[in-house]
Amino acid sequence: MSQPSASQGYIDDSTSFDSLHLDSRLSQAIRSVGFKHPTLIQSSAIPLAIQEKRDIIAKASTGSGKTLAYLIPVIQTILDYRKAEQNEEGATLGVILVPTRELAQQVLEVVEKLIVFCSQEIKCLNLSSGNISGNLLKSLLTENPEILIATPAKLVDLLDTQDISIDHLKFLVIDEVDLVLTFGYQEDLTKISERLPLRKSLQTFLMSATLNDDIQQLKQQFCRSPAILKLNDDEINKDQTKLIQYYVKVGEFDKFLLCYVIFKLGLIKGKTLIFVNNIDRGYRLKLVLEQFGIRSCILNSELPVNSRQHIVEEFNKNVYQLLIATDDTEYIKEEDEDLDPENTEDRETKADADSATVSKDDTKKQKKQKLNVEKDKEYGVSRGVDFRNVACVLNFDLPTTAKSYVHRIGRTARAGKSGISISFVVPLKEFGKHKPSMIKTAKKDERVLSRIIKQQSKFGFELQPYSFDIKQVEGFRYRMEDGFRAVTQVAIREARIKELKQELLASEKLKRHFEENPHDLESLRHDKELHPARVQQHLKRVPDYLLPENARQDKKKIGFVPFHKNSHRKNGRVTKKKGNFQRKGKSDPLKSFK
Ligand SMILES: Nc1ncnc2c1ncn2[C@@H]1O[C@H](COP(=O)(O)OP(=O)(O)OP(=O)(O)O)[C@@H](O)[C@H]1O
């Protein structure tokens, strides 16, 4: 089984996994995944945790391999423990807490790879899985799995209602700990901490890419003289060409126009993950793109959990090229370091964040027809989820905090790949000019951008303005207006219901199928056209006259649409010329994903 490797910048090639003296079954599993050298965070944390039994608080960049940094010590020590206490009946020895169900499933998959040669000794159960019915859960719990993975709320719920004991716990991991703490889980964590065994017999791992320096409370609540590892920035980000970050100042309607042009003309080579700030917005973008024959699939908190898992898996297997993910969790629940609590405007923006921003009439209609669908509070895809081979993260809507930005762009340039991020930023003077396409969070885009720029420059990164020649896309405007008009608020609502029904049906099928064949995911497509909007077949083709002259005869040349003029890039570096940016020679930055 081969696995993508972490970015070379993260790898510690002065150490090998063999030199860490791990149990041979664990070493073999790591080898079979294809990893030779640990990453920097792994080579720092693993010896401290295994040999010195230290608690670990680790802050290391997105994609730097934090998962194995805690899983290897946990598995190794359980194996040691099993050897020493051969007759000991199975008991829960480790609990891994994560903020979202998406992350729970992903961690389970990594654990399963690591315990493949010792599955008799170690069993692992994801309590937050959407695929386990009540009865199945009961019977799986009777096997006393050594490792439990759950969101804090799920664990608390099951501690009260099921036969789960954490009395013998040896490890507690809190992954994405800052998010767990700000996700409304504090109360659950307190309940869990009250039921934990004495701290001297418990080892804890608190991990995140964005941990505040203020970790006193965490230390007190969970740790005993922890080793604090901060491996960000200077050390890891030596290779600054891996992730190129662009922003585009663009009006509200032109965001849709640009997306149409970028995806219709195939200007991004490879998979793109698009983030929007609320669910309706995701459907609007999908339906608009559908008008032009561009397929995409949707990921949001109201879809059933196993459909969500399936969508992420299929995206990782390259079944879909375009995934539109709603990221509406963090900036609502996260303590927003950027918001000024005294500032009513900020508070309003925050409160409005989840509402689709449409005209007053539409809002009234919406109220009447309000969708009665529960959002899953434990949904989240901007944090921790190991999306594979993402060429580009497109912030169609800018997040409202610099912290969210770090996690979103961390979904690309992972695992040894390079990637780009493009963020659309609505200038304040353009805000509110095109009501049907506006979103209120955009009001503070420029302020958030300046915070992002400041924060990234602290890490040694630069955000570059991605200038495009608006004249080049003008020809497409009329078609976009036509396509956009067809996507009414009613069409969006219908699409939302239709997709939900489709996914619920698929989800039942998936659930049964997963129960019978947990490792064998049947191929159900999630990017089907939804079509509640008026379909205009003629929009699906791009007439030749709209293409740049050099591409009319030979469509392959379409990738070289001269969006950028007067600029060039040397040795992978962008040099500025009259405010525009471009790579040297043929390679457009949007085409250069390796
Ligand atoms: N030692 C290693 N050698 C090569 N690749 C690795 C190694 N360890 C982990 N990886 C790969 O690196 C990628 C990122 O790892 P992981 O998901 O653990 O990162 P992370 O630090 O938890 O990121 P995030 O903060 O976004 O959650 C994964 O695809 C993983 O398989």
Side-chain angles (χ1 to χ4, degrees):
M1 184 176 10
S2 80
Q3 185 85 348
S5 57
S7 165
Q8 284 310 307
Y10 301 148
I11 298 286
D12 181 0
D13 42 23
S14 65
T15 320
S16 71
F17 278 113
D18 289 341
S19 68
L20 295 175
H21 308 296
L22 303 174
D23 185 285
S24 57
R25 292 162 291 178
L26 180 53
S27 297
Q28 200 185 342
I30 296 170
R31 262 197 307 277
S32 65
V33 174
F35 299 162
K36 281 197 191 99
H37 301 284
T39 63
L40 285 165
I41 188 67
Q42 291 161 4
S43 65
S44 316
I46 293 171
L48 282 170
I50 297 179
Q51 272 96 43
E52 299 184 29
K53 303 282 171 228
R54 295 283 297 274
D55 288 352
I56 305 285
I57 297 184
K59 178 184 177 190
S61 305
T62 52
S64 61
K66 292 187 288 298
T67 318
L68 257 58
Y70 65 78
L71 281 183
I72 289 176
V74 167
I75 293 172
Q76 172 67 34
T77 316
I78 294 180
L79 287 172
D80 290 343
Y81 185 70
R82 281 271 166 272
K83 270 187 210 155
E85 317 240 343
Q86 292 211 343
N87 295 325
E88 181 78 8
E89 259 192 33
T92 298
L93 300 176
V95 162
I96 300 169
L97 296 176
V98 290
T100 62
R101 296 193 199 215
E102 279 68 22
L103 205 45
Q105 178 62 21
Q106 183 178 300
V107 173
L108 175 74
E109 283 162 19
V110 182
V111 175
E112 282 175 345
K113 284 179 187 155
L114 292 181
I115 60 173
V116 67
F117 299 111
C118 51
S119 51
Q120 292 302 315
E121 278 82 356
I122 304 183
K123 286 177 282 310
C124 179
L125 181 60
N126 172 11
L127 299 176
S128 295
S129 166
N131 304 318
I132 301 181
S133 62
N135 286 341
L136 184 58
L137 180 69
K138 260 199 182 97
S139 83
L140 291 172
L141 282 171
T142 57
E143 294 178 13
N144 288 326
E146 282 73 14
I147 303 177
L148 296 179
I149 305 169
T151 59
K154 189 72 186 175
L155 181 65
V156 167
D157 181 31
L158 295 180
L159 280 173
D160 290 338
T161 57
Q162 299 277 342
D163 190 17
I164 297 180
S165 155
I166 51 174
D167 300 344
H168 298 280
L169 215 62
K170 298 273 165 218
F171 308 98
L172 176 70
V173 179
I174 311 182
D175 201 355
E176 304 290 345
V177 60
D178 53 334
L179 183 60
V180 168
L181 285 175
T182 55
F183 218 69
Y185 283 139
Q186 287 97 330
E187 220 177 286
D188 298 317
L189 281 181
T190 309
K191 282 188 191 154
I192 293 169
S193 70
E194 283 162 3
R195 297 177 71 154
L196 289 172
L198 285 181
R199 240 177 265 167
K200 66 175 168 34
S201 52
L202 184 73
Q203 193 173 12
T204 52
F205 297 80
L206 310 181
M207 325 292 286
S208 179
T210 48
L211 209 50
N212 280 339
D213 284 338
D214 182 20
I215 47 175
Q216 281 311 322
Q217 192 205 337
L218 274 177
K219 266 168 56 180
Q220 275 165 12
Q221 200 173 3
F222 294 103
C223 304
R224 225 173 1 115
S225 63
I228 298 174
L229 307 174
K230 286 190 190 173
L231 284 184
N232 271 32
D233 332 332
D234 302 348
E235 246 189 298
I236 285 178
N237 297 338
K238 276 178 279 182
D239 186 356
Q240 308 222 350
T241 54
K242 284 280 175 204
L243 172 63
I244 302 173
Q245 303 176 45
Y246 293 100
Y247 68 89
V248 186
K249 296 234 172 162
V250 64
E252 290 151 339
F253 177 76
D254 287 3
K255 286 191 193 183
F256 290 86
L257 178 60
L258 256 190
C259 255
Y260 161 41
V261 175
I262 287 174
F263 296 114
K264 193 67 194 175
L265 301 188
L267 296 182
I268 295 176
K269 194 174 162 219
K271 289 189 295 187
T272 299
L273 179 60
I274 304 178
F275 283 111
V276 292
N277 282 358
N278 69 40
I279 296 179
D280 267 6
R281 202 88 176 138
Y283 284 102
R284 184 182 288 278
L285 183 58
K286 178 183 164 79
L287 292 182
V288 169
L289 293 178
E290 217 169 72
Q291 290 281 314
F292 302 99
I294 303 166
R295 288 180 87 119
S296 60
C297 74
I298 288 270
L299 194 55
N300 63 45
S301 55
E302 71 183 19
L303 296 176
V305 64
N306 35 17
S307 296
R308 276 154 32 198
Q309 282 168 11
H310 197 226
I311 290 166
V312 173
E313 290 210 17
E314 299 226 301
F315 185 63
N316 280 345
K317 286 189 210 149
N318 304 332
V319 177
Y320 314 120
Q321 290 297 298
L322 261 190
L323 181 60
I324 303 173
T326 301
D327 178 27
D328 57 355
T329 44
E330 268 179 80
Y331 65 88
I332 295 169
K333 290 172 181 153
E334 184 178 346
E335 228 169 87
D336 190 336
E337 83 269 33
D338 297 334
L339 290 188
D340 174 0
E342 302 302 316
N343 185 333
T344 39
E345 204 175 88
D346 274 349
R347 285 206 305 273
E348 273 167 24
T349 311
K350 198 168 178 174
D352 286 334
D354 195 35
S355 60
T357 42
V358 286
S359 66
K360 270 187 190 161
D361 287 352
D362 276 348
T363 317
K364 267 189 214 153
K365 264 186 231 157
Q366 252 185 309
K367 268 189 193 156
K368 260 194 226 157
Q369 308 171 334
K370 203 168 189 269
L371 269 175
N372 205 7
V373 182
E374 278 277 308
K375 281 201 223 165
D376 183 350
K377 285 189 225 100
E378 297 181 343
Y379 157 89
V381 286
S382 65
R383 281 266 194 150
V385 175
D386 193 25
F387 288 108
R388 301 272 161 82
N389 302 326
V390 175
C392 174
V393 167
L394 174 62
N395 283 316
F396 186 83
D397 295 326
L398 199 66
T400 56
T401 69
K403 198 179 199 179
S404 285
Y405 177 84
V406 170
H407 288 280
R408 283 193 189 181
I409 65 165
R411 300 313 104 204
T412 184
R414 293 171 78 79
K417 300 281 181 185
S418 53
I420 60 168
S421 69
I422 305 176
S423 299
F424 288 166
V425 178
V426 177
L428 190 57
K429 61 177 182 349
E430 295 292 326
F431 174 76
K433 284 205 174 150
H434 189 264
K435 290 275 185 275
S437 64
M438 71 177 263
I439 179 156
K440 286 189 182 168
T441 54
K443 192 169 184 182
K444 58 175 201 152
D445 271 8
E446 285 189 318
R447 278 160 61 199
V448 175
L449 176 69
S450 61
R451 286 183 192 123
I452 292 172
I453 290 175
K454 216 170 15 177
Q455 177 214 46
Q456 289 295 314
S457 80
K458 273 195 222 149
F459 298 161
F461 286 124
E462 191 194 348
L463 262 84
Q464 298 156 9
Y466 187 84
S467 302
F468 60 93
D469 185 359
I470 193 72
K471 284 195 214 96
Q472 296 284 340
V473 292
E474 274 313 318
F476 294 85
R477 185 176 295 280
Y478 175 72
R479 293 168 73 80
M480 175 44 90
E481 279 166 359
D482 206 6
F484 192 91
R485 255 196 309 274
V487 182
T488 58
Q489 197 58 33
V490 174
I492 291 172
R493 199 184 106 84
E494 279 175 16
R496 220 167 137 170
I497 293 172
K498 188 170 172 185
E499 168 129 302
L500 203 57
K501 278 190 193 151
Q502 268 174 15
E503 290 300 329
L504 280 170
L505 279 176
S507 182
E508 277 309 307
K509 275 190 217 158
L510 284 173
K511 198 168 173 176
R512 258 177 277 136
H513 183 81
F514 286 157
E515 274 183 4
E516 286 154 24
N517 315 283
H519 300 291
D520 174 23
L521 293 179
E522 121 193 355
S523 181
L524 286 169
R525 285 198 81 93
H526 301 272
D527 65 345
K528 293 190 191 107
E529 294 192 349
L530 290 171
H531 281 327
R534 178 167 48 97
V535 177
Q536 305 173 85
Q537 291 302 341
H538 70 282
L539 290 179
K540 294 192 174 175
R541 259 193 65 249
V542 178
D544 278 358
Y545 66 84
L546 280 179
L547 297 176
E549 258 168 54
N550 63 340
R552 283 179 201 163
Q553 300 306 319
D554 178 1
K555 298 252 168 42
K556 283 186 190 138
K557 289 186 185 163
I558 216 160
F560 306 118
V561 176
F563 274 116
H564 345 273
K565 343 170 263 192
N566 307 331
S567 63
H568 60 280
R569 189 178 174 90
K570 276 183 190 160
N571 307 325
R573 293 202 165 268
V574 174
T575 45
K576 198 172 174 188
K577 216 174 169 189
K578 290 191 189 158
N580 292 320
F581 292 82
Q582 192 176 25
R583 274 174 190 252
K584 196 181 179 189
K586 274 185 161 188
S587 69
D588 187 298
L590 295 175
K591 282 277 192 181
S592 64
F593 178 66
K594 281 182 268 171

